Amino acid sequence: MKGITILGATGSIGLNTLEVIKQHRQDYEVIALTAHQQVDRLEALCLEWMPRYAVMADSDAAERLSLRLKKINAPVQVLSGTDGLTFVASLPETNLVMAAIVGSAGLLPTLAAAKAGKRLLLANKEALVMSGQILIETVRKHGAELLPVDSEHSAIFQCLPFKKNTGIQQETHHTEISRLLLTASGGPFRTYSVEQLHDVTPEQACAHPNWNMGRKISVDSATMMNKGLEVIEACWLFSTPPNKIEVVLHPQSVIHSLVEYIDGSVLAQLGQPDMRTPIAYALAWPKRISSGVPRLNLTEIAQLDFEAIDFNRFPCLKLAYDALLAGGTTTTILNAANEIAVEAFLQKRLRFTAISKVVETTLSKLSGHKATSIDIILEDDAHARDLASELINCEKNAQS
Ligand code: NAD
Ligand code: MG
């Protein structure tokens, strides 16, 4: 029996994780569940799973949840804030931590899980984008295991030579591998012209053709910033330089990514576009367990298409590559500006096409530093957020 903490339990990845665990209740005990402000949803999950701890990021929400659970004598201890999140990420009775909080809020609890030497199932790609080097070093130093949950990285991980001792591929295979190929569906606006992109709404951006995801990652998929973040993620997870990571459009989302070897072999992982597959793989690695995902029917799919990326229509991907090459906290700045711009777009305070502009201007006005400590990373993150917010306010004033 393995104990698991699920950070971001009420989200798309959190709920899919519980769906997989439901099929293997004898193997996993849910120790802690966390959410941001959704008291009703976390209460329902607590009643179903009876974890030892529940954490609300927001302290008022924690109080409300605690009162409700006390009323029915549910033996769940309710905590709050970053301290509560890092506490449940480090519990001795927890073996596995699913890092599925969205955005920078996931960084400190993710790092805490690495420090506590846990098996870290990483969905929260922003943590690696903000602080790749520190997170990887922490994993190594404390003997943690880092397993990718992002479907592309799970695919690459499954196509790399097998190494039993650790999740991430610490040993070098770089002499054998010529390229990592990340597939991208192209999101809901793959065929839109630049003019058509001008007036798209949050509702349209969140209606992804293949995947059902949280709102932030859905917008990132529509701008292709998600693929940019994934290139950075792949770079850290697989110790691979940016020039060996390429993106190819593949609208069907059946091939989740590929590894090309120097002998000309290209290994790919295929499957339904359903996050329960990579989640199950990370949960049970190096074993495989059932995930509840239906079989892939190749004759029904019949055709797989591939296209080159048009960087003009999707400038965010280019910005991410550039930030990665610049190194240090430049990717932290990219991530922070993007989080602020996406939030503004979701609140209808910013046009879709202005998201990349806000990120680009923020990057041009701030210089990154060596990412040698979390304090430096958090400082640059805060500066980038302030500047991006200012830019959005100016843009709004200019429009009104
Ligand atoms: P989501 O919005 O559906 O869920 C996010 C979860 O984080 C919720 O439980 C929410 O309560 C919690 N949360 C949000 N803000 C918080 C805060 N400030 N403090 C504490 N908790 C907070 O998002 P998602 O789609 O499940 O994505 C989660 C992460 O997984 C993201 O980093 C995303 O990039 C990554 N990911 C998601 C998918 C997917 O298919 N959904 C695929 C690959 C990677
Ligand atoms: Mg992905």
Side-chain angles (χ1 to χ4, degrees):
M1 190 83 151
K2 292 200 167 95
I4 182 164
T5 286
I6 303 178
L7 304 169
T10 53
S12 157
I13 293 288
L15 293 173
N16 273 308
T17 305
L18 289 168
E19 280 304 310
V20 176
I21 291 178
K22 221 177 247 177
Q23 301 164 57
H24 304 278
R25 282 187 191 258
Q26 69 289 358
D27 297 324
Y28 299 95
E29 183 190 356
V30 175
I31 304 288
L33 296 174
T34 87
H36 188 205
Q37 291 167 320
Q38 306 90 331
V39 175
D40 290 346
R41 288 203 216 161
L42 196 58
E43 183 190 14
L45 291 180
C46 284
L47 295 185
E48 184 177 356
W49 291 93
M50 283 300 164
R52 300 184 203 176
Y53 300 92
V55 185
M56 302 293 311
D58 179 285
S59 58
D60 289 345
E63 208 153 294
R64 276 184 282 140
L65 179 64
S66 177
L67 281 176
R68 289 198 203 172
L69 291 172
K70 270 191 192 132
K71 249 190 205 158
I72 51 166
N73 287 325
V76 182
Q77 195 175 331
V78 181
L79 308 170
S80 70
T82 306
D83 287 351
L85 292 171
T86 53
F87 177 77
V88 296
S90 332
L91 289 166
E93 56 270 50
T94 282
N95 310 96
L96 284 72
V97 175
M98 167 57 80
I101 290 175
V102 59
S104 59
L107 175 63
L108 295 178
T110 300
L111 272 172
K115 237 179 238 165
K118 305 299 183 195
R119 168 172 289 199
L120 181 54
L121 317 184
L122 189 73
N124 176 226
K125 64 191 86 183
E126 294 91 346
L128 265 183
V129 172
M130 289 176 77
S131 70
Q133 190 164 349
I134 290 182
L135 182 55
I136 296 290
E137 279 170 9
T138 309
V139 164
R140 290 190 180 152
K141 186 168 163 203
H142 297 276
E145 282 177 330
L146 181 55
L147 289 155
V149 170
D150 217 344
S151 57
E152 294 77 1
H153 305 75
S154 176
I156 289 171
F157 184 48
Q158 294 181 52
C159 296
L160 284 174
F162 183 74
K163 281 271 178 328
K164 193 167 185 308
N165 57 342
T166 179
I168 48 168
Q169 303 289 306
Q170 296 189 358
E171 317 289 323
T172 47
H173 320 286
H174 298 126
T175 50
E176 293 172 21
I177 289 165
S178 50
R179 276 190 304 172
L180 303 181
L181 279 159
L182 296 182
T183 51
S185 70
F189 308 138
R190 181 175 55 89
T191 57
Y192 281 39
S193 65
V194 174
E195 294 71 44
Q196 281 174 305
L197 287 175
H198 198 61
D199 292 320
V200 296
T201 64
E203 291 70 31
Q204 285 173 296
C206 290
H208 196 283
N210 306 341
W211 299 93
N212 186 4
M213 310 181 285
R215 281 162 70 79
K216 193 262 177 180
I217 185 176
S218 295
V219 176
D220 284 348
S221 298
T223 61
M224 294 271 270
M225 179 59 94
N226 182 50
K227 213 46 59 180
L229 302 179
E230 289 182 355
V231 169
I232 301 168
E233 188 184 7
C235 188
W236 288 115
L237 280 174
F238 308 117
S239 318
T240 302
N243 63 359
K244 280 188 160 190
I245 305 175
E246 286 177 31
V247 177
V248 61
L249 273 182
H250 166 47
Q252 291 93 354
S253 298
V254 168
I255 294 185
H256 296 302
S257 278
L258 314 90
V259 177
E260 183 188 81
Y261 288 86
I262 49 171
D263 60 2
S265 288
V266 180
L267 302 191
Q269 186 257 351
L270 285 72
Q272 299 280 3
D274 189 320
M275 288 308 291
R276 288 174 298 172
T277 298
I279 289 169
Y281 190 68
L283 277 170
W285 181 86
K287 288 202 298 187
R288 287 192 185 259
I289 55 172
S290 57
S291 64
V293 173
R295 283 184 181 181
L296 196 62
N297 184 332
L298 286 175
T299 50
E300 219 166 70
I301 294 164
Q303 188 179 333
L304 297 176
D305 296 314
F306 304 96
E307 294 166 28
I309 298 279
D310 177 354
F311 283 96
N312 286 329
R313 273 191 306 135
F314 299 107
C316 285
L317 182 55
K318 172 87 171 59
L319 291 172
Y321 265 109
D322 290 347
L324 180 59
L325 288 171
T329 59
T330 311
T331 55
T332 313
I333 295 168
L334 169 98
N335 179 67
N338 181 58
E339 284 191 24
I340 294 291
V342 169
E343 187 57 31
F345 168 69
L346 284 170
Q347 294 169 355
K348 304 196 172 170
R349 292 189 287 115
L350 190 72
R351 278 182 190 283
F352 181 80
T353 41
I355 295 175
S356 64
K357 301 221 166 74
V358 168
V359 176
E360 187 175 6
T361 311
T362 307
L363 283 165
S364 72
K365 290 188 185 249
L366 295 178
S367 2
H369 297 95
K370 281 197 172 151
T372 46
S373 75
I374 282 297
D375 287 345
I376 293 175
I377 287 167
L378 293 179
E379 207 169 290
D380 281 0
D381 174 81
H383 286 150
R385 280 169 200 275
D386 289 347
L387 180 55
S389 303
E390 251 174 60
L391 293 169
I392 292 165
N393 287 337
C394 291
E395 168 119 0
K396 209 173 161 226
N397 292 338
Q399 272 173 25
S400 55

